[in-house]
Amino acid sequence: MSKKKIASPKAVTFSEKIKANHNDELLLVNKRLAQQIEERKKRAAELIIANTELAFQNKEKENRAAELVIANAELAYQNKEKEKRAAELIIANIELAYQNKEKEKRADELSIANSELIFQNKEKEKRAAELVIANTELAYQNQEKENRAAELVIANKELIFQNKEKEKRAAELVIANKELAYQNKEKEKRAAELLIANENLTFQNIEKEKRAAELSLANKELEAFTYISTHHLQEPLRKIQVFSNRITTDEYQNLTEKGKYYFDRIEVSASHMQALINDLLTYSRTNVTEKTFENICINAVINKVLENLKDEITAKKAIVQLSGNCKAYIIPSQFEQLIYNLISNSLKFSKLEKAPHIIIETLYTKTKTKKKSSADYCHITISDNGIGFDPQFETRIFEMFQQLNSKTDYKGTGIGLAIVKKIVENHNGIITATGKLNQGAKFDIYIPVA
């Protein structure tokens, strides 16, 4: 194989362009040849037609013969041209085959060069990977050395720290021993003081028991005195009321106007005295009555009281709203008295120009007062739109004989709310009052559920 210089890309491109031009010329030659063959067929058809016409038209024979000679001459010329084009096409095909062989050689050489380049790249990658692994291992070893050095430093520091801690613990132990000895002495002193305190406490407890017994006896005597006094007071009061009724029936028309006025005042005072004695009896009964608790629906008690006050509610054209429902262990008779007193107050202390509106709610809740407890309570609220009271009397309102309003405008004894508070205390409950002048009053009662 003769050695040839590798053609430059520009020479190869020019050669390819020449080949492309030859290919185009060959295609044109082929097309022309096809056209000529087609023309031949047409001419042959025309010749057949002409020969047919020649048989019928003698005059046209010579003209057609001349044309046939010309056509044959042209056909001979065309055949020569075709032979030339065929020779050129053969030369072009030979040249194209040679160029293809050259291309295949160059492709083989390029493939060998690429294979060698790929092999060299793979070798380089292997060397690079080995270098990376070696560097990683070296870095790891350096890191391990640094870790060991750091651990050694930490261990030395910890050892120093532990030695210092041991010294501190030893010092603390010495101090603790001294302190323990001191505490033991103090404990002995406290034990001696505690013995003295226990003796004093025992003496105080004995004294408290004596005082409690004396107080209990005094309370019983006071309750008995109150109960007996009110019963003894009722006898002369009944006589006053009886004789007053007789005078009203028999002698009232004989009295002067001034006498009638004084007599009316006597009857009013007797009626007030009767109410006062009844309230005192009720108050004393809250202490002496046997406390039998029953698990009762609060709304049932309220409805019973509302039924008893039906006439007063109708007369005042009052609106009473009851909502909620809860049960609690209560003393039924006392609780009826409690509800009765509060609703009666709402009716009594209502505005003249406005119908009373009383709202009663009974709900389970936790107490919101200062008294801390996790137990469940039945929370009863009774609020109205009456005349209310000054907020400064929120606590004083529950004291005995406290009347915040004029006795002539609002009749009462000043014991009703004291009875209410006593009944709530009998139930281990809490009661609070809030109000504003001319804006109504509200009573919150908390009774333990169990």
Side-chain angles (χ1 to χ4, degrees), residues 56-190:
F56 296 97
Q57 298 173 359
N58 291 325
K59 289 181 180 182
E60 292 294 323
K61 270 185 179 184
E62 292 177 359
N63 293 333
R64 296 292 180 270
E67 288 174 0
L68 185 59
V69 171
I70 294 166
N72 287 331
E74 188 176 351
L75 185 60
Y77 176 75
Q78 287 176 355
N79 287 333
K80 286 180 181 180
E81 289 294 318
K82 281 180 184 179
E83 288 173 359
K84 287 180 183 179
R85 294 292 178 274
E88 290 174 359
L89 186 61
I90 289 166
I91 293 165
N93 285 335
I94 292 167
E95 188 175 351
L96 184 63
Y98 174 75
Q99 289 175 357
N100 286 335
K101 285 181 181 180
E102 288 295 315
K103 282 183 180 178
E104 287 174 0
K105 287 178 183 179
R106 297 295 176 276
D108 291 338
E109 291 172 358
L110 188 61
S111 176
I112 292 165
N114 287 335
S115 299
E116 189 172 350
L117 185 62
I118 290 167
F119 175 76
Q120 290 174 358
N121 288 335
K122 285 181 180 179
E123 288 296 313
K124 284 181 181 179
E125 288 173 359
K126 285 179 182 179
R127 296 297 177 276
E130 288 172 358
L131 188 61
V132 168
I133 293 166
N135 288 334
T136 305
E137 189 172 352
L138 185 61
Y140 176 76
Q141 289 173 357
N142 290 332
Q143 187 65 43
E144 286 295 311
K145 285 180 181 178
E146 289 174 1
N147 291 341
R148 294 296 175 277
E151 287 172 1
L152 189 59
V153 171
I154 293 166
N156 288 332
K157 288 181 180 178
E158 190 172 352
L159 187 60
I160 292 166
F161 176 76
Q162 287 174 357
N163 289 332
K164 287 181 180 178
E165 287 294 311
K166 283 180 181 178
E167 291 172 359
K168 286 181 183 178
R169 294 294 176 277
E172 288 173 358
L173 189 60
V174 172
I175 295 166
N177 287 332
K178 290 179 181 178
E179 190 173 350
L180 186 61
Y182 174 77
Q183 287 176 356
N184 287 334
K185 288 180 182 178
E186 288 294 312
K187 282 181 180 178
E188 290 172 359
K189 289 180 184 178
R190 295 293 176 276

Side-chain angles (χ1 to χ4, degrees), residues 392-406:
Q392 65 178 319
F393 299 117
E394 287 180 355
T395 305
R396 186 177 159 192
I397 199 170
F398 294 108
E399 294 176 6
M400 288 280 283
F401 305 112
Q402 288 297 324
Q403 289 180 280
L404 305 181
N405 301 286
S406 171

Side-chain angles (χ1 to χ4, degrees), residues 316 345 347-352 387 403-413:
K316 288 270 190 178
N345 271 10
L347 293 170
K348 184 196 299 183
F349 298 107
S350 60
K351 297 176 184 177
L352 295 174
I387 62 171
Q403 289 180 280
L404 305 181
N405 301 286
S406 171
K407 292 182 180 179
T408 55
D409 295 334
Y410 300 98
K411 295 179 181 179
T413 60

Side-chain angles (χ1 to χ4, degrees), residues 296-357:
I296 293 176
C297 177
I298 301 297
N299 283 22
V301 176
I302 295 169
N303 284 324
K304 186 176 180 180
V305 172
L306 291 175
E307 185 63 30
N308 293 336
L309 288 169
K310 187 176 180 180
D311 294 338
E312 288 87 340
I313 292 169
T314 304
K316 288 270 190 178
K317 297 180 180 178
I319 299 168
V320 182
Q321 288 180 282
L322 175 60
S323 62
N325 194 10
C326 63
K327 281 186 173 184
Y329 281 91
I330 60 172
I331 305 166
S333 59
Q334 288 192 15
F335 219 79
E336 284 177 23
Q337 185 68 49
L338 180 151
I339 300 297
Y340 181 90
N341 286 7
L342 290 175
I343 296 175
S344 295
N345 271 10
S346 293
L347 293 170
K348 184 196 299 183
F349 298 107
S350 60
K351 297 176 184 177
L352 295 174
E353 72 281 0
K354 201 170 186 179
H357 186 189

Side-chain angles (χ1 to χ4, degrees), residues 203 243 302 435:
F203 175 76
F243 286 121
I302 295 169

Side-chain angles (χ1 to χ4, degrees), residues 21-32 85-86 88-90 92-93:
N21 290 332
H22 282 301
N23 289 335
D24 292 337
E25 287 178 0
L26 286 173
L27 288 172
L28 289 171
V29 170
N30 288 332
K31 284 181 181 179
R32 286 177 183 174
R85 294 292 178 274
E88 290 174 359
L89 186 61
I90 289 166
N93 285 335

Side-chain angles (χ1 to χ4, degrees), residues 218-412:
N219 284 335
K220 286 179 181 178
E221 288 175 354
L222 182 62
E223 289 167 2
F225 174 77
T226 304
Y227 188 73
I228 292 166
S229 296
T230 51
H231 274 75
H232 282 292
L233 284 171
Q234 286 196 72
E235 182 58 29
L237 182 61
R238 273 197 296 270
K239 287 181 180 179
I240 291 169
Q241 289 174 334
V242 168
F243 286 121
S244 295
N245 287 333
R246 287 183 181 178
I247 291 170
T248 303
T249 305
D250 300 332
E251 302 294 335
Y252 191 77
Q253 66 276 9
N254 297 327
L255 296 174
T256 63
E257 291 299 320
K258 195 171 185 180
K260 288 178 181 180
Y261 171 75
Y262 288 142
F263 187 76
D264 290 339
R265 296 291 297 167
I266 290 169
E267 284 190 326
V268 169
S269 297
S271 176
H272 180 72
M273 186 67 178
Q274 183 66 58
L276 184 60
I277 290 169
N278 289 338
D279 284 347
L280 283 170
L281 277 171
T282 303
Y283 186 80
S284 64
R285 286 194 191 104
T286 59
N287 291 325
V288 300
T289 306
E290 185 180 354
K291 297 177 182 179
T292 305
F293 288 87
E294 297 178 24
N295 190 16
I296 293 176
C297 177
I298 301 297
N299 283 22
V301 176
I302 295 169
N303 284 324
K304 186 176 180 180
V305 172
L306 291 175
E307 185 63 30
N308 293 336
L309 288 169
K310 187 176 180 180
D311 294 338
E312 288 87 340
I313 292 169
T314 304
K316 288 270 190 178
K317 297 180 180 178
I319 299 168
V320 182
Q321 288 180 282
L322 175 60
S323 62
N325 194 10
C326 63
K327 281 186 173 184
Y329 281 91
I330 60 172
I331 305 166
S333 59
Q334 288 192 15
F335 219 79
E336 284 177 23
Q337 185 68 49
L338 180 151
I339 300 297
Y340 181 90
N341 286 7
L342 290 175
I343 296 175
S344 295
N345 271 10
S346 293
L347 293 170
K348 184 196 299 183
F349 298 107
S350 60
K351 297 176 184 177
L352 295 174
E353 72 281 0
K354 201 170 186 179
H357 186 189
I358 303 167
I359 300 171
I360 306 170
E361 291 182 318
T362 60
L363 300 167
Y364 291 109
T365 186
K366 305 284 184 184
T367 179
K368 295 180 182 177
T369 62
K370 293 180 181 179
K371 187 176 178 181
K372 294 181 180 179
S373 173
S374 60
D376 286 327
Y377 281 76
C378 180
H379 180 199
I380 305 159
T381 61
I382 299 176
S383 57
D384 59 51
N385 62 341
I387 62 171
F389 60 87
D390 196 317
Q392 65 178 319
F393 299 117
E394 287 180 355
T395 305
R396 186 177 159 192
I397 199 170
F398 294 108
E399 294 176 6
M400 288 280 283
F401 305 112
Q402 288 297 324
Q403 289 180 280
L404 305 181
N405 301 286
S406 171
K407 292 182 180 179
T408 55
D409 295 334
Y410 300 98
K411 295 179 181 179

